[in-house]
Amino acid sequence: MRIVFIGPPGAGKGTQAERMIDRFGITHLSTGDMLRAARQAKTEVGCKADEYMSAGQLVPDDIILAVIADRLTQDDCQGGYLLDGFPRTLGQAEALDRMLVQQQTPLDVVLELQVAEDELFSRLAGRGRADDKPEVIRQRLVAYRQQTQPLLEFYGKQGLLVSIDGLGTPEDIFERITAALDALEQD
Ligand code: AP5
Ligand code: MG
């Protein structure tokens, strides 16, 4: 299965991804994790990305697309994957479509995790990642609303979008996701 996860910062994409890779035997591809690893390794990409990540802004599409393009063709992606935090702009989504047409590997579903903003702040305040300061969270939310939310319509038109209520315990939400994916597999 090839799945895209869309949701605002703190929606629980990473939390649910960990459960989903065990259940469905797919590979977790988080562009945020890849960029943090590159930053820690002090690579050129990592240092460039840090300027944007620290400010809560999206890293430019060309950097992200270079990071993800090779990754999708690697062996561990052939049995399916979960894209967590990518694509995040229309430009990224269109580039992904082109890659997938070329590889003849269409997406199966785009899952949106819906969580209200006040809940996002309290979740992220309890975590404490470098970009979890209130002013940076606010900017990440602006980026989400302005640059990522338009993807919901883009994937809705393709008939791929399934929205999941992201409020509740992680176990509740995982059940909603698996029920939605099981329903898709039966179609
Ligand atoms: P990224 O790493 O993708 O971060 P994000 O989208 O802001 O989301 P988070 O990872 O903070 O939240 P999550 O939805 O994974 O929630 P989690 O499960 O951790 O991106 C970081 C930065 O990298 C971006 O700002 C950008 O600069 C750059 N970047 C990355 N990809 C990019 C791209 N494609 N294009 C351009 N730039 C890109 O949960 C959050 C907290 O809530 C945790 O503490 C968790 O324990 C808790 N929690 C989870 N579920 C629940 C629940 N049900 N109830 C209560 N608490 C919960
Ligand atoms: Mg995450």
Side-chain angles (χ1 to χ4, degrees):
M1 226 178 327
R2 285 173 293 275
I3 305 173
V4 165
F5 234 155
I6 297 183
K13 303 181 294 292
T15 303
Q16 296 301 325
E18 279 181 26
R19 291 172 158 77
M20 288 164 69
I21 55 172
D22 285 344
R23 168 77 180 254
F24 296 98
I26 52 181
T27 295
H28 181 200
L29 300 178
S30 158
T31 42
D33 288 349
M34 292 174 200
L35 294 173
R36 282 183 287 276
R39 179 171 66 185
Q40 197 164 6
K42 297 193 169 26
T43 64
E44 200 182 327
V45 162
C47 294
K48 187 80 194 146
D50 181 48
E51 292 171 27
Y52 297 91
M53 295 168 80
S54 309
Q57 290 166 357
L58 294 186
V59 174
D61 285 356
D62 57 339
I63 296 181
I64 295 291
L65 290 168
V67 165
I68 204 85
D70 289 342
R71 191 66 191 85
L72 291 181
T73 62
Q74 287 170 16
D75 284 350
D76 63 344
C77 290
Q78 303 319 306
Y81 47 77
L82 171 64
L83 286 167
D84 161 2
F86 173 88
R88 257 169 143 107
T89 64
L90 276 175
Q92 291 177 19
E94 286 162 357
L96 176 65
D97 272 2
R98 288 193 292 274
M99 286 181 231
L100 298 184
V101 165
Q102 205 170 27
Q103 294 167 22
Q104 296 183 300
T105 53
L107 293 173
D108 294 289
V109 65
V110 175
L111 293 175
E112 177 201 9
L113 269 185
Q114 295 179 325
V115 179
E117 290 198 2
D118 52 351
E119 169 74 9
L120 299 173
F121 272 94
S122 66
R123 286 186 189 179
L124 294 174
R127 181 177 63 179
R129 204 169 71 192
D131 56 350
D132 287 340
K133 302 178 199 79
E135 65 278 14
V136 183
I137 298 172
R138 268 193 290 279
Q139 179 52 49
R140 286 159 64 197
L141 283 168
V142 169
Y144 180 74
R145 282 196 295 267
Q146 293 183 346
Q147 292 170 276
T148 308
Q149 267 183 343
L151 300 192
L152 301 176
E153 194 187 338
F154 177 85
Y155 285 122
K157 282 187 183 154
Q158 295 189 15
L160 287 171
L161 184 68
V162 175
S163 298
I164 305 281
D165 175 5
L167 275 185
T169 66
E171 292 71 27
D172 293 336
I173 297 155
F174 184 60
E175 271 182 34
R176 288 174 207 148
I177 291 172
T178 48
L181 295 180
D182 288 346
L184 275 182
E185 285 197 319
Q186 279 160 19
D187 278 351

